[in-house]
Amino acid sequence: MAVSKTLLITGVSSGFGRALAEQALADGHRVVGTVRTAEAKRAFETLDADRAFGRLLDVTDFDTIEGVIAEVEESVGEVDVLVNNAGYGQEGVLEESPLDAMRRQFDVNVFGAVAMTRAVLPYMRRRRRGHILNITSMGGYITMPGIAYYCGSKFALEGISEVLGKEVAPFGMFVTAVAPGSFRTDWAGRSMVRTPRSITDYDALFDPIREARRAKSGQQLGDPVKAARAMLAVIDSEAPPAHLLLGSDALGLVRDKLTALAVEIDQWEALSRSTDG
């Protein structure tokens, strides 16, 4: 890219966060990456001694986020782009999955992203520029049995991103919700939290889905490096989109969902209109 920027990316130890950080560094940008262990911090900073800055942060440690952002702004420099990448998948049939699992899923995927965003907004707003990328999922548009908590968190982040984009547009700022399809990351592997099975009534529906996901892990169509290049193109755009799907599977499945939704709306239009007073 023509202009060097400072990116703050949460969760740079692996997956999209690591791929984006590496590609951004290769393009000459500076990257502040959050990790959760000192070992991961050292490993990240070895990528580039001058332009890779690791910071220890758990995005669910809400009370420390503002201090970390203030320190980054002072010691590293102005944050041009925030990428809320930290997150994970919670898999489990809803009736079997405890509420604590849902709380943890939303704490990381939603509240963590919102807390990071709220911490950088005052700086970006004062400068009248900035770009926030929220990594959501095609699971923020489509659903399948067994990931209700995950889809719920990504639906929430899609909506929050769209609203925020409208709120900050007058300040010359942009918000893009990036919704990947299936990519070769750890999402379906070691990063996924799986609720133990307990109710046999769901066996026929869900067991094949769980096994197929495990078998496919590491062999998905999507290339994280190409996803990173796509995100850098969005960051470089003068008019970035509010929503970006990544992957042909996401394109196809989301288009099918929107088509089916339009058909259902038409089918029930008369009843919908009947409630007007």
Side-chain angles (χ1 to χ4, degrees):
M1 285 182 279
V3 178
S4 177
K5 297 181 179 181
T6 298
L7 282 66
L8 171 55
I9 307 172
T10 62
V12 295
S13 296
S14 62
F16 290 123
R18 187 53 162 244
L20 179 57
E22 290 177 349
Q23 293 302 304
L25 290 168
D27 279 2
H29 300 295
R30 300 197 304 170
V31 178
V32 181
T34 74
V35 293
R36 290 187 292 172
T37 68
E39 181 182 3
K41 179 179 181 293
R42 288 191 295 269
F44 174 69
E45 290 178 337
T46 61
L47 295 177
D48 191 306
D50 298 319
R51 291 181 291 112
F53 307 88
R55 290 296 184 271
L56 290 173
L57 179 67
D58 184 327
V59 297
T60 65
D61 190 359
F62 307 127
D63 292 337
T64 68
I65 288 175
E66 287 188 8
V68 171
I69 299 301
E71 183 273 328
V72 167
E73 285 271 335
E74 181 177 354
S75 64
V76 178
E78 297 176 351
V79 175
D80 300 300
V81 182
L82 168 65
V83 183
N84 284 310
N85 165 74
Y88 72 98
Q90 171 71 41
E91 182 196 72
V93 173
L94 190 144
E95 189 178 352
E96 295 176 338
S97 301
L99 283 179
D100 282 348
M102 183 179 184
R103 291 190 183 98
R104 175 64 180 169
Q105 180 78 109
F106 273 67
D107 274 349
V108 176
N109 291 5
V110 182
F111 288 96
V114 171
M116 290 293 298
T117 298
R118 293 186 73 253
V120 302
L121 281 175
Y123 300 97
M124 291 183 172
R125 176 172 47 78
R126 285 196 290 269
R127 292 191 286 264
R128 290 304 197 255
R129 59 180 171 81
H131 195 169
I132 297 168
L133 269 66
N134 288 326
I135 309 302
T136 63
S137 168
M138 66 178 177
Y141 292 87
I142 67 165
T143 62
M144 62 183 65
I147 51 172
Y149 293 172
Y150 177 76
C151 287
S153 73
K154 295 304 184 178
F155 268 72
L157 194 54
E158 281 282 337
I160 290 168
S161 299
E162 187 172 301
V163 172
L164 178 63
K166 294 174 181 178
E167 291 176 348
V168 301
F171 312 131
M173 296 163 57
F174 300 100
V175 180
T176 301
V178 179
S182 297
F183 278 76
R184 294 187 295 277
T185 67
D186 289 330
W187 180 82
R190 67 178 181 86
S191 294
M192 177 163 278
V193 176
R194 292 180 163 90
T195 301
R197 295 297 328 285
S198 59
I199 303 174
T200 58
D201 280 348
Y202 294 107
D203 289 356
L205 172 69
F206 181 58
D207 284 355
I209 295 174
R210 172 169 280 182
E211 290 309 312
R213 182 174 292 123
R214 281 175 169 155
K216 189 179 179 182
S217 181
Q219 303 178 50
Q220 296 94 331
L221 181 63
D223 181 344
V225 173
K226 291 183 177 179
R229 300 306 313 173
M231 285 186 265
L232 287 170
V234 166
I235 291 168
D236 195 37
S237 172
E238 294 183 358
H243 302 275
L244 178 70
L245 297 170
L246 293 180
S248 58
D249 58 343
L251 280 172
L253 290 168
V254 172
R255 280 175 170 156
D256 289 347
K257 164 69 178 288
L258 296 176
T259 298
L261 182 59
V263 169
E264 185 174 69
I265 289 171
D266 290 343
Q267 288 176 338
W268 292 91
E269 180 175 357
L271 188 61
S272 297
R273 291 185 181 278
S274 71
T275 59
D276 291 351

